[in-house]
Amino acid sequence: MFRRIKNKPLRYIVLFIYFFIILICAIEINFLNLFGYSPNKNDILMPDLNIASELYTADGKLLGKYFKENRNPVQYNEISEALLNTLVSTEDIRFFKHNGVDFIAVFTSLFSTVQGDRRGASTITQQLAKNLYQTRYDKSAGLLGKIPGVRLIVIKVKEWITAYKLETKYSKEDILTMYLNTVSFGNNNYGIKTAAKYYFNVVPDSLNVPQSALLIGMLKGTTLYNPIRNPENSKKRRNVVLSQMEKANFITKEELAKFQDLPINLSVNETNEDSSEDSYIRAAVLRFLNDWSKESGYNIYEDGLKIYTTIDSKMQTYAEEVVSNQMKTLQNRFNNVWGNDLPWRDSGGEIIDNFLENLAAKTPFYTFLKEKYKGNSDSINYYLNRKKEMEVFTWNGMKKVDYSTLDSIAHYAKMLNTGMMSMDPFTGEIKVWVGGINHKYYKFDHVDQAKRQAGSTFKPFAYLTAIEQGMAPCDIFIDKPVKISYTEDGKEMEWEPKNADWNFTYQNMSLRWAMGRSVNSITAQITEKVGWDKVVETAHRLGIKSPLKAVPSVSLGPNDVSVFEMVKAYSTFLNKGNSVDPILVSTIKDRNGNVIAEFKSKSKRVLSEENAWLMMYMLRGTMEEPGGTSQALWEWDLWKKGNQIAGKTGTSSDYVDGWYMGLTKDLVTGVWVGNDERSIHFKSSSTGEGAHTALPIFGKFMEKLYHDENSGYTYGPFPEPGVEITKTYYCPTPRPVQSNPTDSTAIEIDSIPFLDNIDMDKIIEESKQVLPSF
């Protein structure tokens, strides 16, 4: 057929065009899987662009992002003219004259390469094709891609074809915008909006000529020309780009000279937006949405979602401030208590041998040493004890120290930690989530991941069980020694609980007074009477999902539970007997602003409204009854306009765990304080009891809320019962001279007065005006 063309040069040109067309068709259909993937029509119309998802508080404050590529797209009108001119003059001076492939640049590049001067000829559109469709990855190369020389030809032709497709579907402005939204600017910043924010703390339409030149200059090598790591290289590259702009007549020679003399003037904006799990809330949301993501098919890291949490930004800020201040105080107290003594002790008070070494064995560094030195203990110990300069976290800021690995482990092991959650008991919306003191150094979340002994905060489940079995708040028990026989694992056992101060008053005490004072002996009697298995059933019904061992001491809180579970369970009392599932995420929108998911809490009645109100009345007893364990709350400005607070303190044995569960008319808040290692704890009730560790966090937090007129939370009493109360509950307790109230399930001989610094006569007088049961 081609021999009919007598002119040989023309024949060869026609042959070339013919086989080039066949090659294009073969590439398009991936003939025999030789050429790999090529973007189809739908791919061109809807390019797959990985966009970071954003996380917001309920009131619209940005909490951070989830991403694999930190990207936030912009529109064309959001890009400065200086940046566009810089891009075109540097990357593709004939951008507005070609249709995706600049054949003049191709032939010029070939000629230069033959002469030993290699030059690129890719247009902006070709680079966009490469970024969008990963044309240089193995999936795009096919079987022929395994042949080195052929691979380059196939890839280049494919990029030409894809670039032409893009040019036929999009305007030049669209292509420039998509390009700037896809390219990497180093430091995990993808797209011009993210880069402008990170390097200069500005939006793209505010970028000036020198800033634009620096960013566009980085595209040649984000590491080599990184202005943070290699500022001199970055400046030189910026000046080369400025020279290109002057040659293209985008700036004058005078401007060139002025701009080249300027320093790079970075304003690095290293916010907490650059990681998906660099805060407790973000990590918690990931756990919260894990199942939803699998079921819905949305990718939180790539789909540009807008995720709205139930967190109130102002409340969260107040909580974090209070936690920070209180934990600093507690850490100083802890350090003073132990001084130079080692705090890791067994139940007998003896130092635990090899404590630090055992912690070190759990670290990746130890695994590395073990593999490298084939388990040689001398070599491992040498490197574990070798000192080096490092920075460690302290409550006074980062501190430079000369520590060994074991020194560092000891430092962090001594740090106290905390978990705090505050929730609307009626909607289930979580308003505050503080998972610990510092997510960078303590990843474990102390709200829902950590589970600790509940101590006396578990006692209300026993009293609720008693009320449900027919008892009333005014029923009388005697504070006296108790011996309970029971069988455990086939063995006959006896349990003799002691009150925290080792004393028994032999007084007649109402259920409300006994719970208000957190009396162990009466709680044990009640548990024996109602059945410890029934107490476990009650706790599970109210929302405790952790396994609970049914033993006589169950009501004193020996089982491990989470702050999350306890807040849910206590919310049932305030919510008239209805249990609601706590929710952390309210709404999710797609990248176009369409709502794709909404989350509402499910409500279920788990106890009668009458018994729920009676339990709230019982919990008020920790403030209102003589010796109530919550009365340290009088220290804060919480008692205006007839305000009422219910709550329960808790302390596990040896002061390992300190708890406070606080309820107001609007909120339920749970706080835990302790050390991640249970062998590290305070020595006495005066320093380590929940009333002295966790309760102040609640008190200070509520004080901040009440003092903020715009917080939405006000002083006020709990609502009156909405149903008839058939049981006798009003039985004011006589006020004898009171011994030390305590909430601890531990035994302490030398107890320090709980209310030493409080004028009880003044409290009683004020209480008559505020609380009707005084």
Side-chain angles (χ1 to χ4, degrees):
M1 176 177 68
F2 296 106
R3 291 179 181 176
R4 297 177 182 176
I5 303 174
K6 302 300 182 182
N7 187 305
K8 283 189 176 182
L10 180 59
R11 184 193 309 165
Y12 292 142
I13 291 173
V14 172
L15 274 170
F16 176 79
I17 293 173
Y18 178 80
F19 284 108
F20 187 72
I21 292 172
I22 291 177
L23 175 63
I24 291 174
C25 294
I27 289 174
E28 279 292 277
I29 65 173
N30 190 19
F31 182 67
L32 298 179
N33 201 32
L34 293 172
F35 302 96
Y37 157 81
S38 291
N40 56 35
K41 181 179 179 181
N42 288 334
D43 294 331
I44 297 296
L45 290 175
M46 295 183 293
D48 184 18
L49 187 63
N50 293 343
I51 302 174
S53 293
E54 294 176 334
L55 187 67
Y56 293 92
T57 61
D59 48 337
K61 304 290 185 182
L62 181 66
L63 286 169
K65 300 179 181 179
Y66 300 103
F67 56 81
K68 291 179 180 175
E69 297 176 351
N70 189 14
R71 189 194 315 276
N72 197 349
V74 295
Q75 302 297 320
Y76 182 77
N77 59 8
E78 298 177 279
I79 304 171
S80 72
E81 184 178 359
L83 181 67
L84 296 170
N85 292 339
T86 307
L87 175 61
V88 171
S89 63
T90 306
E91 296 294 321
D92 191 356
I93 193 63
R94 281 185 289 275
F95 173 72
F96 290 99
K97 298 179 181 178
H98 61 67
N99 291 317
V101 181
D102 187 352
F103 287 105
I104 295 176
V106 171
F107 289 118
T108 302
S109 175
L110 289 173
F111 183 73
S112 299
T113 300
V114 171
Q115 292 184 321
D117 181 18
R118 295 188 64 182
R119 295 182 185 178
S122 290
T123 64
I124 289 175
T125 316
Q126 285 176 250
Q127 293 179 50
L128 174 61
K130 180 179 68 175
N131 294 338
L132 281 179
Y133 305 109
Q134 301 178 340
T135 55
R136 304 203 174 188
Y137 282 52
D138 287 341
K139 74 168 186 173
S140 298
L143 295 176
L144 292 178
K146 301 183 183 299
I147 306 173
V150 177
R151 176 187 176 92
L152 180 60
I153 295 172
V154 171
I155 286 174
K156 273 295 180 185
V157 172
K158 192 171 294 187
E159 285 179 0
W160 289 351
I161 296 170
T162 306
Y164 178 76
K165 290 178 181 178
L166 288 168
E167 291 273 351
T168 59
K169 295 296 181 183
Y170 298 101
S171 68
K172 291 289 186 180
E173 290 78 9
D174 290 337
I175 291 171
L176 287 175
T177 304
M178 285 193 288
Y179 177 80
L180 287 170
N181 281 331
T182 59
V183 289
S184 169
F185 290 92
N187 296 102
N188 206 9
N189 292 290
Y190 289 80
I192 191 60
K193 185 173 183 178
T194 306
K197 179 75 172 176
Y198 182 81
Y199 291 109
F200 298 109
N201 201 21
V202 298
V203 291
D205 61 3
S206 298
L207 287 168
N208 58 33
V209 172
Q211 292 170 338
S212 300
L214 184 139
L215 293 175
I216 297 302
M218 288 180 67
L219 299 179
K220 191 172 183 180
T222 54
T223 300
L224 181 61
Y225 301 114
N226 189 300
I228 297 174
R229 299 178 185 176
N230 300 301
E232 289 302 318
N233 287 351
S234 179
K235 184 176 179 181
K236 290 177 182 177
R237 176 61 185 162
R238 181 202 67 178
N239 289 348
V240 170
V241 172
L242 289 170
S243 297
Q244 290 294 107
M245 295 187 70
E246 189 272 330
K247 289 179 183 178
N249 296 318
F250 286 120
I251 60 174
T252 64
K253 289 184 178 180
E254 291 76 14
E255 288 174 322
L256 172 64
K258 181 180 73 172
F259 292 150
Q260 286 184 330
D261 286 339
L262 293 174
I264 58 178
N265 285 331
L266 293 180
S267 179
V268 178
N269 181 42
E270 294 192 79
T271 64
N272 286 334
E273 300 174 14
D274 59 350
S275 173
S276 63
E277 288 195 27
D278 65 352
S279 80
Y280 293 106
I281 294 177
R282 267 172 273 183
V285 168
L286 273 183
R287 296 192 296 273
F288 192 84
L289 292 179
N290 184 47
D291 292 338
W292 175 85
S293 182
K294 291 177 182 177
E295 293 171 2
S296 67
Y298 282 97
N299 189 316
I300 294 174
Y301 294 96
E302 299 176 355
D303 288 342
L305 306 177
K306 299 290 188 292
I307 304 168
Y308 292 88
T309 68
T310 58
I311 296 294
D312 183 300
S313 65
K314 188 175 291 187
M315 294 173 68
Q316 181 71 21
T317 299
Y318 289 155
E320 290 175 354
E321 289 173 353
V322 167
V323 164
S324 179
N325 292 332
Q326 175 68 1
M327 293 308 294
K328 180 179 180 179
T329 299
L330 290 176
Q331 192 64 51
N332 289 334
R333 180 193 302 173
F334 179 85
N335 294 340
N336 291 334
V337 164
W338 284 100
N340 294 324
D341 294 336
L342 298 180
W344 37 88
R345 309 279 174 137
D346 61 22
S347 58
E350 298 298 320
I351 295 173
I352 299 174
D353 293 334
N354 300 316
F355 177 81
L356 296 178
E357 289 78 5
N358 291 334
L359 287 182
K362 301 175 184 178
T363 65
F365 182 58
Y366 184 91
T367 303
F368 166 77
L369 292 176
K370 187 176 180 180
E371 292 177 357
K372 182 175 181 180
Y373 296 105
K374 303 186 185 306
N376 185 288
S377 58
D378 290 339
S379 297
I380 293 172
N381 289 333
Y382 170 78
Y383 284 101
L384 289 178
N385 286 281
R386 188 178 66 168
K387 294 186 181 295
K388 51 189 175 290
E389 187 176 293
M390 64 176 70
E391 281 192 334
V392 295
F393 164 72
T394 75
W395 284 110
N396 295 315
M398 297 304 294
K399 180 181 178 181
K400 286 188 177 181
V401 293
D402 190 32
Y403 275 180
S404 68
T405 298
L406 292 182
D407 293 334
S408 174
I409 290 173
H411 171 81
Y412 286 110
K414 292 177 184 177
M415 298 289 283
L416 299 174
N417 225 310
T418 189
M420 177 182 181
M421 173 177 152
S422 192
M423 186 180 95
D424 183 323
F426 310 108
T427 65
E429 293 182 351
I430 299 170
K431 300 299 182 181
V432 165
W433 186 294
V434 181
I437 59 173
N438 189 308
H439 188 269
K440 182 177 180 180
Y441 301 100
Y442 300 93
K443 302 292 185 187
F444 206 54
D445 195 309
H446 299 83
V447 171
D448 68 336
Q449 290 182 316
K451 295 186 178 183
R452 303 298 291 252
Q453 289 186 349
S456 295
T457 57
F458 208 85
K459 288 177 180 176
F461 303 130
Y463 287 86
L464 171 60
T465 307
I467 288 175
E468 288 186 321
Q469 290 189 11
M471 297 186 208
C474 290
D475 286 359
I476 300 298
F477 281 77
I478 301 174
D479 175 18
K480 63 182 181 180
V482 179
K483 180 184 292 187
I484 299 176
S485 300
Y486 66 104
T487 303
E488 183 178 355
D489 298 328
K491 296 181 180 180
E492 295 299 319
M493 311 282 285
E494 284 188 346
W495 179 54
E496 297 183 62
K498 300 292 189 290
N499 288 332
D501 59 1
W502 283 73
N503 293 317
F504 299 98
T505 64
Y506 294 91
Q507 285 183 297
N508 290 331
M509 303 183 75
S510 68
L511 291 191
R512 188 176 193 251
W513 188 15
M515 195 176 90
R517 286 199 58 190
S518 200
V519 180
N520 291 345
S521 66
I522 292 181
T523 304
Q525 293 175 58
I526 291 170
T527 303
E528 183 180 27
K529 188 167 185 178
V530 301
W532 39 85
D533 56 330
K534 297 300 181 182
V535 175
V536 168
E537 289 177 9
T538 298
H540 282 317
R541 176 160 39 96
L542 266 62
I544 304 297
K545 293 184 177 180
S546 295
L548 303 172
K549 192 172 183 179
V551 291
S553 63
V554 65
S555 302
L556 304 190
N559 290 296
D560 288 349
V561 295
S562 69
V563 172
F564 184 93
E565 292 174 298
M566 292 296 281
V567 171
K568 177 182 179 180
Y570 270 68
S571 294
T572 306
F573 303 138
L574 190 55
N575 194 24
K576 300 181 179 180
N578 295 304
S579 176
V580 294
D581 293 326
I583 57 172
L584 186 56
V585 175
S586 60
T587 308
I588 302 177
K589 298 180 180 179
D590 64 18
R591 66 179 66 180
N592 299 314
N594 301 311
V595 175
I596 57 175
E598 289 184 290
F599 300 90
K600 300 291 184 183
S601 181
K602 296 179 180 178
S603 179
K604 178 184 178 182
R605 177 164 295 283
V606 294
L607 66 150
S608 71
E609 186 173 344
E610 178 185 4
N611 288 339
W613 188 90
L614 287 172
M615 282 306 300
M616 284 302 304
Y617 182 71
M618 295 274 287
L619 286 165
R620 282 165 46 192
T622 65
M623 276 301 305
E624 299 170 10
E625 291 289 339
T629 57
S630 293
Q631 289 180 358
L633 287 174
W634 286 110
E635 181 178 340
W636 292 281
D637 185 23
L638 307 174
W639 308 106
K640 297 176 180 177
K641 301 179 181 178
N643 195 45
Q644 291 177 326
I645 292 177
K648 188 71 193 76
T649 49
T651 312
S652 64
S653 295
D654 296 327
Y655 319 105
V656 172
D657 304 288
W659 288 78
Y660 192 71
M661 301 299 302
L663 302 91
T664 67
K665 63 183 177 64
D666 304 301
L667 289 171
V668 176
T669 302
V671 182
W672 167 87
V673 172
N675 189 283
D676 285 334
E677 298 297 324
R678 301 189 191 212
S679 59
I680 300 176
H681 49 77
F682 285 102
K683 294 181 178 181
S684 66
S685 66
S686 61
T687 55
E689 199 175 65
H692 301 299
T693 59
L695 178 146
I697 292 177
F698 171 79
K700 294 174 183 179
F701 170 67
M702 290 308 304
E703 185 178 64
K704 279 181 175 285
L705 278 189
Y706 288 147
H707 285 182
D708 182 354
E709 294 181 355
N710 298 316
S711 72
Y713 295 91
T714 57
Y715 297 97
F718 290 111
E720 294 297 321
V723 295
E724 181 185 359
I725 305 301
T726 60
K727 296 179 180 180
T728 303
Y729 65 90
Y730 185 68
C731 43
T733 304
R735 291 190 167 272
V737 176
Q738 192 56 51
S739 60
N740 310 326
T742 180
D743 66 358
S744 179
T745 56
I747 299 170
E748 179 168 23
I749 300 174
D750 299 319
S751 182
I752 295 178
F754 181 66
L755 300 175
D756 278 351
N757 299 319
I758 298 179
D759 185 342
M760 286 303 300
D761 291 334
K762 180 180 179 183
I763 290 174
I764 294 171
E765 188 60 34
E766 291 176 345
S767 300
K768 291 177 180 177
Q769 303 173 22
V770 177
L771 304 170
S773 64
F774 271 83

